[in-house]
Amino acid sequence: MEEIEERGAVCVGAGSGIGRGIALGLGAEGAYVLVADIDVDSAARVRDEIAAAGGRADAAGVDATSTESLAALATSAREVLGDVHVLIQTVGVIANTPLASASEEEWAWFTEFHLMSAVRTVNAFLPALRAHGHGAHIVLTSSMAGLLALSPQMTGGVNTGLYTVMKHALVGYGEMLRYELAPEGIGVSVLCPGLVESNLGATSARHRPERFGGAFADPSGGGGMPPGAMPNEQVGPIVVRAIRANRAYILTHPESRPLVEARQQALLDDFAFAAEGP
């Protein structure tokens, strides 16, 4: 989808972090952006940033775990934007919980906020993306954790098992969805960012619903991001370029390539071992 200017774009989970960066990037390219987030005040601040830079934007609240809330957002988007050509989904959570000790409640929380929030968002907006017949594009946010499996020793001591499982699920969902929607002229990209500035730990802690245990202490301890995180504003232009080129994967940190190659080589080594026979 080469044309971005004057196109309607909905960014779900764009009140902060990567979603904010993408919303700003789309606004800078002339898209009319609807910034949606569970935190309406945060969404409004991003809307105002886009407007201050000369772009067009609106803001709305949404609970991406609620079919009803997403349906209401989809209706509002068509009223505000007219046609919807771009859909960005960046909702997710993180917690420092080892897989072996994770409760079913924690598994349900991660499943709802990663995989099912993406599924529900796509289902809610597909009618609008199909309606105008001019082509469209969906970006689902996974992570480098969707392409790798890293031990706590490689993640600053944080147990990212639940996060990694869900990000792998999003990779599979996004790639299969890409095959299914391609004949309709709807592109699908899976965004797999490396370390990007965000407040995911804080928002995960603050917004966990009561049905999954309620709010809890920020796992980062309020310490913020580790040094070297990419400013989220830099993600927007990368995503816009990839949408225009209809890339299957959007990667922010090319320097991570050796890690992916090493993982793939390990798989190839196991194929070689299997070929040796019993």
Side-chain angles (χ1 to χ4, degrees):
M1 193 185 111
E2 295 185 1
E3 292 297 325
I4 300 293
E5 188 175 2
E6 300 296 327
R7 298 298 175 97
V10 178
C11 299
V12 177
S16 62
I18 289 171
R20 170 185 175 270
I22 297 173
L24 293 176
L26 288 165
E29 291 295 316
Y32 188 2
V33 184
L34 179 57
V35 182
D37 199 275
I38 195 168
D39 186 333
V40 184
D41 291 340
S42 294
R45 284 193 290 271
V46 176
R47 173 203 62 199
D48 293 346
E49 286 186 87
I50 294 171
R56 291 198 303 161
D58 214 317
V62 67
D63 177 354
T65 69
S66 165
T67 300
E68 293 76 17
S69 181
L70 286 162
L73 179 66
T75 298
S76 176
R78 296 187 72 170
E79 293 171 351
V80 171
L81 305 177
D83 292 338
V84 179
H85 291 86
V86 177
L87 176 64
I88 309 292
Q89 205 277 351
T90 66
V91 174
V93 293
I94 195 164
N96 183 11
T97 306
L99 289 177
S101 60
S103 66
E104 288 195 16
E105 185 179 71
E106 287 173 304
W107 276 105
W109 175 42
F110 269 74
T111 301
E112 283 294 307
F113 275 77
H114 285 278
L115 179 59
M116 293 312 300
S117 71
V119 171
R120 291 190 182 100
T121 300
V122 169
N123 289 348
F125 279 91
L126 265 179
L129 295 172
R130 287 168 164 157
H132 47 74
H134 299 146
H137 204 92
I138 298 168
V139 176
L140 304 172
T141 304
S142 178
S143 167
M144 284 306 296
L147 304 176
L148 298 168
L150 301 177
S151 69
Q153 289 75 24
M154 299 182 71
T155 57
V158 179
N159 292 282
T160 59
L162 289 168
Y163 184 82
T164 298
V165 170
M166 290 301 130
K167 292 306 189 183
H168 274 67
L170 278 167
V171 165
Y173 173 60
E175 192 162 332
M176 293 305 299
L177 191 66
R178 180 179 174 87
Y179 293 141
E180 290 186 13
L181 297 182
E184 301 181 52
I186 300 175
V188 179
S189 298
V190 181
L191 171 61
C192 295
L195 187 62
V196 175
E197 287 180 352
S198 77
N199 57 352
L200 182 60
T203 56
S204 299
R206 184 166 65 247
H207 294 302
R208 185 169 68 174
E210 288 298 328
R211 67 185 185 277
F212 299 125
F216 62 100
D218 180 353
S220 70
M225 296 295 295
M230 173 185 284
N232 57 58
E233 296 92 340
Q234 293 182 15
V235 177
I238 296 170
V239 170
V240 169
R241 177 171 174 260
I243 289 173
R244 285 188 166 130
N246 190 23
R247 303 303 304 179
Y249 288 91
I250 306 175
L251 304 167
T252 61
H253 289 66
E255 63 270 24
S256 297
R257 176 173 175 164
L259 293 172
V260 177
E261 289 179 335
R263 187 177 192 224
Q264 295 302 312
Q265 186 58 56
L267 178 60
L268 294 175
D269 291 345
D270 286 334
F271 271 114
F273 176 78
E276 294 174 1

